[in-house]
């Protein structure tokens, strides 16, 4: 068995801060339709299995899987939801194809976060309800309309106040982690600010990145402290966006006459959810990249990778992730940035798409957004931000606060990564 | 149809507001139960120590996440409800993204005699810039008002 898995089609919606003109279903349909068009296939007969990446609380209703099939062409077909980032979904597609049971698999991930009116509270809901979440402040409502569990005569005693406006936004965890990173890597806030500057500038060259800005690091530095040392402009804005990939066995790509981009390796890993004992050095990324490079037989990633996309939901995260991926020594990513190595013409072009800073934080679609950039680069279609002769690229994602889960995917134009 | 003729009047799209009725009972579990019942009556914490690797967990756990072995009752111990601030931040926003009326200082506190840390609201004696390394002590609600949840800890106060 010498099966190989490649990407034969990609499609995505526009990314925007809100998308009131379409429902989330139409939004997904839009991305999938484009991916199937790109691959030149009809999902109703050419796709063997479908995977979406979603989380009920992001969506606003229960058992998301059940709401999926119609808008992606999957009714009465094998279909499942991976409760994780798009790269994790892609990993599952890879495994399905490698079994020999499926030849073509569609993977979809999206964010329709503008439909979510209580983002902060939904994220807070991801913290341990007994030992961690209460630190944020009042979590119970004195009286919640229609709720039998909060009768009028039994308001719960709360610490401080019953005012729900006093609940602290869970991004405070990023403030804590950033402080840890600044100290352990001996990096300054200015150096982190430069990440936001770079990526928002990169966004000018990416037609679908909407958060482009020409900032100086002083602009970032003078934005207000929200969770000291984290400042307003260190935080990536939320966006809506849907992305679909069609993965297929190499022979399908040949039949379709498509020049394939190979998925040579992937990895994913989760740290303990307990903040009490969890590391703060992106250990998930370290584990994931070890798995991915081993699978891709990539001995010297730093040398082999032509283009890299890493998670930068908060500016410091880009530097922390580059180090965790082994692409820079501890505390050395900031230096690479200063020396220009993370720019298009540097030795390690990073987040040329604009990343989460420039495109926006698209929740579980983040991994696919990063992978999309790598595929675009490897296809040679990246326009003004194209890296010359890009052959191999790496995309990395993190599921965001308060998760300790990350994934890595390695793509190349060749069935075996050239080292 | 949306895709052939896109909506262009911003007043056209219709939406409605909904919410999820999602209320739960969160069971403390065997380990959590002991911990929370303990703090209802004591101004200290309970911790549990893995027999194999010696890691001391606080809040205590029934099993060690590294060795994946159970922690027997005799490896539980009482530890003082105090520790050292490792990391801290001043939170300015509430969950709606609006400014908090009173910013909160939240710390990650390494609990004394354990290998674990806890999140806690910090109160200091004076306005300090750097709270790293200061020792803090948990301030509990009056005993008769405790309900056996983390909220029995009001905040962590600078010691001494």
């Amino acid at each position: 068995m010498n099966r190989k898995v490649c990407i034969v089609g990609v499609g995505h919606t526009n990314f925007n801060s809100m998308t009131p003109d379409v429902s989330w279903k139409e939004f997904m349909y839009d991305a999938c339709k484009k991916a199937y068009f790109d691959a030149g296939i009809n999902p109703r007969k050419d796709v063997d299995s479908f995977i979406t990446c979603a989380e009920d609380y992001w969506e606003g209703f229960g058992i998301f899987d059940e709401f999926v099939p119609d808008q992606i062409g999957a009714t009465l077909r094998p279909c499942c939801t991976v409760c994780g980032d798009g790269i994790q979904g892609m990993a599952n597609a890879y495994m399905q194809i490698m079994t020999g049971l499926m030849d073509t698999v569609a993977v979809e991930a999206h964010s329709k976060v503008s439909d979510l009116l209580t983002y902060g509270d939904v994220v807070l809901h991801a913290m341990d309800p007994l030992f961690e979440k209460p630190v944020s402040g009042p979590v119970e409502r004195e009286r919640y309309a229609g709720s039998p569990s909060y009768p009028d005569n039994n308001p719960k005693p709360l610490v401080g106040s019953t005012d729900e406006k006093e609940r602290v936004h869970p991004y405070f965890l990023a403030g804590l982690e950033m402080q840890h990173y600044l100290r352990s890597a001996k990096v300054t806030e200015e150096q982190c600010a430069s990440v936001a500057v770079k990526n928002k500038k990169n966004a000018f060259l990416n037609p679908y990145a909407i958060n482009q800005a020409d900032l100086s690091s002083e602009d970032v530095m003078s934005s207000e402290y929200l969770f000291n040392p984290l400042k307003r402009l260190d935080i990536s804005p939320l966006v809506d966006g849907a992305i679909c990939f069609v993965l297929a066995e190499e022979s399908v790509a040949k039949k379709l006459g498509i020049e394939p981009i190979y998925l040579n390796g992937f990895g994913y890993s989760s740290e303990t959810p307990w903040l009490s004992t969890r590391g703060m050095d992106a250990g998930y990324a370290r584990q994931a990249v070890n798995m991915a490079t081993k699978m891709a037989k990539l001995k010297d990633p730093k040398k082999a990778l032509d283009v890299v996309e890493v998670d930068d939901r908060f500016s410091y995260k880009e530097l922390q992730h580059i180090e965790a991926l082994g692409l820079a020594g501890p505390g050395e990513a900031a230096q690479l940035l200063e020396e220009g190595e993370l720019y298009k013409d540097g030795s390690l072009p990073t987040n040329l798409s604009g990343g989460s800073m420039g495109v926006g934080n698209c929740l579980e679609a983040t991994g696919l957004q990063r992978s999309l950039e790598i595929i675009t680069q490897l296809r040679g279609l990246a326009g003004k931000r194209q890296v010359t002769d890009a052959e191999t690229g790496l995309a990395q994602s993190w599921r965001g606060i308060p998760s300790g889960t990350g994934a890595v995917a390695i793509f190349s134009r060749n069935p075996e990564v050239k080292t | 149809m949306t895709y052939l003729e896109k909506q262009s009047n911003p007043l056209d799209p219709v939406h409605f507001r909904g919410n999820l009725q999602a209320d739960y009972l969160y069971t403390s579990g065997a380990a959590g139960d002991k911990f929370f019942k303990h703090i209802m009556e004591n101004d200290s914490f309970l911790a549990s120590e893995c027999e194999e690797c010696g890691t001391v967990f606080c809040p205590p756990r029934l099993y060690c996440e590294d060795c994946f072995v159970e922690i027997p009752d005799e490896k539980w111990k009482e530890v003082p409800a105090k520790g050292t601030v490792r990391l801290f931040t001043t939170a300015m926003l509430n969950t709606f993204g609006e400014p908090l009326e009173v910013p909160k200082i939240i710390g990650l506190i390494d609990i004394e005699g354990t290998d674990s840390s806890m999140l806690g609201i910090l109160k200091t004696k004076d306005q300090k810039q750097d709270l790293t390394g200061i020792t803090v002590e948990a301030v509990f609600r009056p005993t008769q008002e405790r309900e056996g949840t983390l909220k029995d800890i009001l905040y962590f106060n600078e010691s001494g």
Side-chain angles (χ1 to χ4, degrees):
Chain A
M1 190 177 83
N2 191 24
R3 290 171 76 83
K4 302 224 177 317
V5 177
C6 41
I7 316 297
V8 297
V10 296
H12 64 88
T13 62
N14 292 333
F15 289 74
N16 223 331
S17 55
M18 52 177 152
T19 47
D21 56 331
V22 285
S23 75
W24 57 276
K25 266 187 190 269
E26 293 160 345
F27 205 47
M28 290 169 69
Y29 169 73
D30 190 27
C32 293
K33 182 183 68 176
K34 288 172 176 163
Y36 303 144
F37 182 83
D38 188 40
I41 56 170
N42 173 357
R44 300 302 291 146
K45 53 185 182 63
D46 301 326
V47 177
D48 302 316
S49 162
F50 300 80
I51 297 170
T52 51
C53 303
E55 172 89 65
D56 288 0
Y57 272 104
W58 289 142
E59 313 297 337
F61 40 82
I63 323 184
F64 179 79
D65 330 27
E66 295 298 313
F67 289 84
V68 167
D70 56 318
Q71 69 272 33
I72 66 171
T75 35
L76 290 172
R77 307 292 289 283
C79 181
C80 72
T81 294
V82 168
C83 186
D85 174 79
I87 292 179
Q88 291 172 284
M90 201 159 50
N92 279 271
Y94 180 102
M95 292 188 276
Q96 288 190 0
I97 293 169
M98 287 307 273
T99 62
L101 279 173
M102 317 289 182
D103 287 328
T104 308
V105 180
V107 183
E108 189 275 349
H110 57 273
S111 151
K112 188 81 157 77
V113 68
S114 66
D115 282 354
L116 175 57
L117 299 178
T118 53
Y119 170 78
D121 278 296
V122 166
V123 175
L124 188 64
H125 208 46
M127 288 176 69
D128 184 282
L130 297 161
F131 293 102
E132 287 156 7
K133 187 173 163 182
V135 171
S136 162
V139 282
E140 289 129 320
R141 299 165 201 223
E142 244 186 300
R143 190 169 167 280
Y144 184 66
S147 167
S149 55
Y150 300 115
D152 290 342
N153 59 0
N154 183 26
K156 289 275 175 184
L158 299 169
V159 176
S161 153
T162 56
D163 187 353
E164 60 178 37
K165 300 246 169 186
E166 291 203 2
R167 278 198 300 276
V168 175
H169 196 291
Y171 277 7
F172 77 85
L173 291 170
L176 293 176
E177 196 185 68
M178 180 172 173
Q179 188 179 61
H180 169 79
Y181 178 71
L182 293 179
R183 286 178 189 165
S184 63
K186 297 191 176 59
V187 164
T188 63
E189 290 177 40
E190 286 85 350
Q191 287 171 310
C192 295
S194 309
V195 171
V197 172
K198 167 176 74 74
N199 294 353
K200 283 179 185 290
K201 210 165 275 180
N202 283 346
F204 277 106
L205 296 181
N206 180 356
Y208 73 78
I210 62 154
N211 290 299
Q212 70 274 39
D214 192 4
L215 300 176
S216 65
S217 60
E218 292 75 48
D219 292 331
V220 180
M221 287 302 290
S222 59
S223 65
E224 73 218 84
Y225 281 112
L226 297 182
F227 310 94
N228 186 355
L230 197 70
K231 292 166 287 296
R232 189 174 287 280
L233 289 175
D234 285 315
I235 301 172
S236 62
L238 296 167
V239 283
D240 292 353
I243 306 174
C244 178
F245 285 6
V246 180
L247 278 74
E249 209 282 314
E250 194 180 22
S251 58
V252 175
K254 282 186 181 148
K255 225 179 284 167
L256 291 168
I258 285 171
E259 200 180 318
I261 301 299
Y262 292 88
L263 173 56
N264 305 87
F266 60 79
Y268 50 89
S269 172
S270 295
E271 289 204 51
T272 179
W274 291 83
L275 297 170
S276 173
T277 46
R278 188 201 278 185
M280 280 203 165
D281 298 303
Y284 51 84
R286 191 159 301 154
Q287 287 297 321
V289 80
N290 285 345
M291 181 177 163
T293 48
K294 199 171 154 199
M295 186 173 162
K297 299 192 184 70
L298 193 57
K299 295 231 165 52
D300 187 355
K302 221 173 148 177
K303 209 173 127 218
L305 295 172
D306 301 310
V307 56
V308 170
E309 290 271 315
V310 303
D311 194 289
D312 63 332
R313 285 176 206 228
F314 304 101
S315 60
Y316 74 93
K317 278 302 223 182
E318 173 169 312
L319 303 175
Q320 183 205 42
H321 282 146
I322 288 172
E323 289 163 16
L325 292 170
L327 301 174
E332 284 171 15
Q335 207 178 320
L336 288 181
L337 178 59
E338 273 168 15
E339 290 164 359
E341 303 295 353
L342 305 186
Y343 291 84
K344 186 170 88 77
D345 299 317
S347 59
L348 194 71
T350 301
N351 288 337
L352 297 184
S353 73
S356 296
M357 286 290 162
V359 174
N361 171 0
C362 46
L363 308 182
E364 307 289 24
T366 301
L368 290 192
Q369 185 264 310
R370 298 322 166 80
S371 302
L372 175 69
E373 174 65 12
I374 301 297
I375 291 160
T376 310
Q377 289 280 352
L378 300 185
R379 282 175 162 187
L381 299 175
K384 283 188 183 165
R385 63 183 196 283
Q386 180 67 47
V387 172
T388 319
D389 298 328
E391 278 198 81
T392 308
L394 178 148
Q396 179 259 339
S397 65
W398 165 55
R399 290 191 74 204
I401 291 288
S403 101
T405 294
V408 165
I410 296 170
F411 303 93
S412 91
R413 269 165 34 191
N414 312 301
E416 308 290 342
V417 175
K418 280 194 185 163
T419 48
Chain B
M1 205 293 220
T2 322
Y3 286 85
L4 294 177
E5 246 172 87
K6 297 202 187 277
Q7 298 216 43
S8 54
N9 181 350
L11 300 175
D12 259 2
V14 174
H15 65 260
F16 73 95
R17 217 179 149 114
N19 63 12
L20 294 173
Q21 188 67 58
D23 295 7
Y24 301 85
L25 281 176
Y26 292 108
T27 51
S28 305
D33 209 50
K34 275 196 210 172
F35 177 82
F36 286 123
K37 281 179 177 156
H38 178 85
I39 63 169
M40 281 178 88
E41 321 231 306
N42 304 277
D43 290 359
S44 61
F45 295 147
L46 284 182
S48 67
E49 181 177 357
C50 173
E51 280 187 306
E52 289 196 12
C53 69
T55 302
V56 181
F57 295 98
C58 178
R61 302 191 212 162
L62 210 58
Y63 51 85
C64 171
E65 61 186 20
D66 280 328
C67 310
F68 206 63
V69 293
E70 235 166 271
I71 300 176
D73 286 352
E74 57 271 23
K75 298 300 279 184
W76 280 58
K77 60 176 183 181
E78 193 177 348
V79 294
K82 56 182 174 185
T84 311
V85 174
R86 174 149 53 105
L87 298 167
F88 67 96
T89 185
T90 308
M92 308 297 287
L93 296 186
N94 68 16
T95 51
F96 302 100
E98 300 158 352
L100 284 163
E101 208 166 297
V102 184
K104 282 187 192 166
I105 305 174
I106 300 180
L108 190 66
I109 302 146
D110 292 335
I111 302 299
E112 200 177 300
T114 76
D115 302 295
S116 306
S117 18
M118 275 171 75
L119 290 171
I121 303 287
L122 300 181
K123 292 238 164 125
T124 53
K125 281 182 293 191
D126 42 42
Q127 295 261 321
K128 280 191 189 64
Q129 288 299 310
D130 190 358
L131 307 181
T132 317
I134 64 167
T135 51
V136 289
E137 218 165 308
V139 174
F140 292 86
R141 276 202 271 217
T143 321
Q144 63 278 13
E145 286 174 29
R146 295 185 197 179
E147 55 171 14
T149 73
L150 201 74
K151 287 180 288 174
D152 290 343
I153 305 166
L154 289 170
Y155 50 86
F156 284 81
N157 210 2
E158 187 175 1
S159 322

